[in-house]
């Protein structure tokens, strides 16, 4: 019984092995491949068909969809007839390295980026060979160093408040991990508070105190490299915030009060100006007023009682226009008199200015004449010196003529006497004022004039 069971089991295994060898098998050596961004890569894929010779072999490479639930993205499709279809998304970047006889169907990608960080599938289709493993997948991991993270504070840094320090890198593959480290005001590392949590780049601080102030550094790390950001946390008491708010409100109130004062002052000035213009334009026609003599209430009442007693004698009415005319005439006379009083003073000042101007002019004229005379004297002195210089020049010319004559006579004497007196004249001649001596045996010769 046991022998028969063992034989049956061996037969089943043999059938499985035979079926595996006679069916299509597609395989990719590794489950994932890691390359740096910008590299040109090759993802290997091999297949073993059931029959070594096939009329048609279709090789397809597919990529994972951008969003879950969407269909896969076609990279390229190759036919054993020689046709090759490359999708628009991978045009110019994807190519196929294939050898159907050897079962090679490698995908080649150039200048990979984060958009290529996904699953890729190698699929082989052969007519009448649709059993076995028709496809295999692998993940392409594009390695990108994390970018410099951004550190921010969420919440108000006040006593007894809860805040969060966030740290996030915009890019990085594989996804970077984050770690916060705090330093006190003396720049010494410190352990986090008991309730502090650090998860996915978020450092949560609870019940802030003065000791929570300090320097915080976040490190973003993946297998390529790391990057850091930092911030300074200053925890203030709530009264500081209230004080700043109260200061803002107080400033607004003061500004409003100043504006109101300016408006009131402008209105008052406007009223005074209107009254002055009304006074200058005169009293409107038809208006009347009583005498400006001050009266008391009793007198007013007495006047009114007299009005009822004696209707034949009405009170005297004074026209306000006449009073204004009288005041205007009086003011005009006063201004005229004042002008007449000031006119002699103006005339006197004008005469004084004229006298001063004339005197200044005469002084300047005299000074100019003096300078002119001094200039003439200097000019005359210059002319005298020029004449003396010309005379001296004439004397030098005459002396030069005498020297020339003397040199000619000396040459003549040397030639005629055979050089007897040459030794006497070898000494330098210094006395220019004394005329040269003539040898006794020199023949007389008329002088050249």
């Amino acid at each position: 019984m046991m022998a028969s069971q063992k034989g049956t089991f061996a037969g089943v295994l043999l059938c499985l092995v035979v079926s595996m060898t006679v069916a299509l098998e597609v395989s990719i050596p590794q489950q994932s491949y890691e390359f740096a961004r910008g590299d040109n890569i090759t993802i290997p894929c091999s297949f073993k068909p059931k029959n070594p010779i096939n009329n048609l072999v279709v090789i397809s490479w597919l990529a994972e969809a951008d969003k879950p639930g969407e269909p896969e993205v076609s990279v390229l499709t190759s036919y054993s007839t020689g046709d090759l279809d490359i999708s628009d998304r991978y045009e110019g970047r994807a190519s196929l390295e294939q050898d159907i006889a050897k079962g090679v169907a490698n995908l080649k990608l150039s200048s990979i980026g984060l958009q290529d960080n996904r699953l890729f599938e190698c699929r082989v289709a052969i007519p009448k060979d649709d059993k076995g493993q028709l496809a295999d997948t692998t993940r392409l991991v594009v390695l990108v160093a994390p970018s410099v993270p951004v550190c921010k504070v969420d919440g108000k840094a006040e006593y007894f408040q809860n805040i969060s320090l966030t740290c996030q890198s915009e890019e990085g593959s594989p996804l970077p991990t984050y770690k916060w480290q705090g330093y006190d005001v003396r720049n010494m590392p410190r352990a986090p508070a008991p309730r502090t949590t650090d998860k996915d780049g978020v450092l949560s601080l609870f019940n802030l105190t003065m000791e929570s102030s300090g320097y915080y550094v976040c490190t973003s790390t993946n297998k390529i490299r790391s990057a850091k950001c930092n911030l300074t946390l200053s925890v203030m008491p709530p009264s500081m915030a209230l004080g700043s708010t109260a200061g803002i409100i107080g400033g607004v109130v003061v500004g409003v009060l100043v504006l109101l004062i300016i408006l009131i002052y402008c209105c008052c000035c406007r009223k005074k100006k209107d009254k002055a213009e009304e006074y200058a334009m005169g009293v409107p026609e038809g208006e009347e007023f009583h005498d400006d003599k001050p009266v008391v209430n009793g007198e007013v009442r007495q006047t009114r009682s007299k009005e009822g007693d004696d209707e034949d004698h009405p009170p005297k009415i004074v026209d306000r226009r006449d009073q204004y005319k009288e005041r205007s005439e009086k003011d005009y006379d006063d201004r005229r008199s004042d002008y007449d009083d000031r006119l002699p003073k103006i005339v006197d000042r004008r005469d004084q200015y004229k006298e001063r101007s004339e005197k200044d002019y005469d002084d300047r004229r005299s000074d100019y004449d003096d300078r002119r005379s001094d200039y003439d004297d200097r000019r005359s002195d210059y002319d005298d010196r020029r004449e003396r210089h010309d005379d001296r020049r004439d004397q030098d010319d005459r002396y030069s003529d005498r020297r020339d004559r003397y040199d000619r006579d000396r040459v003549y004497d040397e030639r005629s006497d055979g050089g007897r007196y040459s030794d006497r004249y070898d000494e330098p001649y210094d006395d220019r004022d004394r005329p040269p001596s003539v040898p006794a045996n020199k023949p007389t010769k008329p002088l050249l004039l």
Side-chain angles (χ1 to χ4, degrees), residues 229-426:
C229 68
N230 58 76
L231 56 83
T232 301
L233 181 65
S234 299
V235 182
M236 298 185 300
S239 59
M240 295 294 290
L242 293 176
S244 61
T245 304
I248 294 173
I249 295 174
V252 173
V253 172
V254 170
V256 173
L257 290 177
V258 171
L259 184 61
L260 289 176
I261 292 172
I262 294 174
L263 292 175
I264 293 173
Y265 177 75
C266 293
C267 292
C268 293
C269 293
R270 183 64 182 174
K271 289 182 180 179
K272 289 181 181 180
K273 185 176 180 182
D274 292 342
K275 288 183 179 180
E277 292 178 355
E278 182 180 356
Y279 178 76
M281 292 173 64
V283 181
E285 186 176 359
E287 288 193 6
E288 296 179 353
F289 67 95
H290 297 282
D291 191 2
D292 57 353
K293 182 180 179 180
V295 293
V296 298
N297 294 333
E299 293 179 354
V300 174
R301 287 195 296 269
Q302 185 178 1
T303 302
R304 290 177 180 175
S305 63
K306 289 181 180 180
E307 288 179 0
D309 295 339
D310 191 3
E311 297 179 356
D312 296 333
H313 300 281
K316 185 179 179 180
I317 300 174
V318 181
D319 191 359
R320 189 180 299 174
R321 184 182 301 170
D322 295 338
Q323 288 186 354
Y324 173 72
K325 185 176 181 182
E326 291 175 1
R327 282 199 301 271
S328 300
E329 292 175 355
K330 184 178 179 180
D331 293 339
Y332 174 76
D333 294 337
D334 294 339
R335 288 196 298 273
R336 183 69 182 178
S337 177
D338 184 50
Y339 175 75
D340 294 337
D341 294 338
R342 286 183 295 176
L343 185 59
K345 296 180 181 179
I346 295 173
V347 174
D348 293 339
R349 285 199 297 271
R350 185 181 300 168
D351 295 337
Q352 291 177 1
Y353 175 75
K354 185 176 181 181
E355 291 175 0
R356 255 194 328 268
S357 300
E358 292 176 353
K359 185 178 179 180
D360 293 340
Y361 174 77
D362 293 338
D363 294 339
R364 289 196 299 272
R365 183 69 183 179
S366 177
D367 185 48
Y368 173 75
D369 293 337
D370 294 339
R371 288 199 300 270
R372 183 70 182 182
S373 177
D374 185 45
Y375 172 75
D376 293 337
D377 294 339
R378 289 198 301 271
R379 182 71 181 180
S380 177
D381 183 53
Y382 173 77
D383 294 337
D384 294 339
R385 284 183 293 178
R386 184 65 179 264
E387 290 177 357
R388 287 197 297 272
H389 177 72
D390 294 338
D391 295 340
R392 194 177 299 113
R393 224 170 140 186
D394 294 338
Q395 291 178 2
D396 293 340
D397 292 339
R398 288 196 299 273
Y399 173 75
S400 178
D401 293 338
R402 289 199 301 271
R403 184 66 179 265
D404 294 338
R405 289 197 300 271
Y406 173 74
D407 291 338
R408 288 196 299 272
D409 294 341
R410 184 177 176 184
V411 171
Y412 175 78
D413 293 339
E414 288 178 356
R415 290 178 179 177
S416 53
D417 295 339
R420 288 180 299 169
Y421 301 99
S422 60
D423 294 338
R424 292 179 55 190
Y425 298 101
D426 290 338

Side-chain angles (χ1 to χ4, degrees), residues 139-310:
R139 176 170 291 277
L140 175 60
V141 179
V142 181
L143 301 179
V144 178
S147 61
V148 177
V150 178
C151 294
K152 292 190 286 186
V153 179
D154 292 341
K156 294 183 179 180
E158 298 177 358
Y159 287 173
F160 315 116
Q161 296 293 326
N162 302 329
I163 64 172
S164 297
L165 308 182
T166 62
C167 175
Q168 187 69 35
S169 294
E170 292 186 358
E171 63 178 16
S173 179
L175 292 177
T177 58
Y178 303 96
K179 182 179 180 182
W180 282 94
Q181 176 63 54
Y183 298 84
D184 57 18
V185 293
R186 296 172 297 179
N187 203 22
M188 297 295 294
R190 63 182 173 191
R195 295 181 56 191
T196 302
T197 59
D198 184 2
K199 185 179 180 180
D200 296 334
V202 180
L203 181 66
S204 300
L205 303 177
F206 301 93
N207 196 18
L208 295 178
T209 60
M210 183 184 297
E211 287 73 16
S212 302
S213 299
Y215 190 67
Y216 290 84
V217 178
C218 174
T219 304
S220 175
T221 307
N222 66 3
K223 61 173 59 180
I224 303 299
R225 64 176 65 93
S226 62
K228 296 181 179 181
C229 68
N230 58 76
L231 56 83
T232 301
L233 181 65
S234 299
V235 182
M236 298 185 300
S239 59
M240 295 294 290
L242 293 176
S244 61
T245 304
I248 294 173
I249 295 174
V252 173
V253 172
V254 170
V256 173
L257 290 177
V258 171
L259 184 61
L260 289 176
I261 292 172
I262 294 174
L263 292 175
I264 293 173
Y265 177 75
C266 293
C267 292
C268 293
C269 293
R270 183 64 182 174
K271 289 182 180 179
K272 289 181 181 180
K273 185 176 180 182
D274 292 342
K275 288 183 179 180
E277 292 178 355
E278 182 180 356
Y279 178 76
M281 292 173 64
V283 181
E285 186 176 359
E287 288 193 6
E288 296 179 353
F289 67 95
H290 297 282
D291 191 2
D292 57 353
K293 182 180 179 180
V295 293
V296 298
N297 294 333
E299 293 179 354
V300 174
R301 287 195 296 269
Q302 185 178 1
T303 302
R304 290 177 180 175
S305 63
K306 289 181 180 180
E307 288 179 0
D309 295 339
D310 191 3

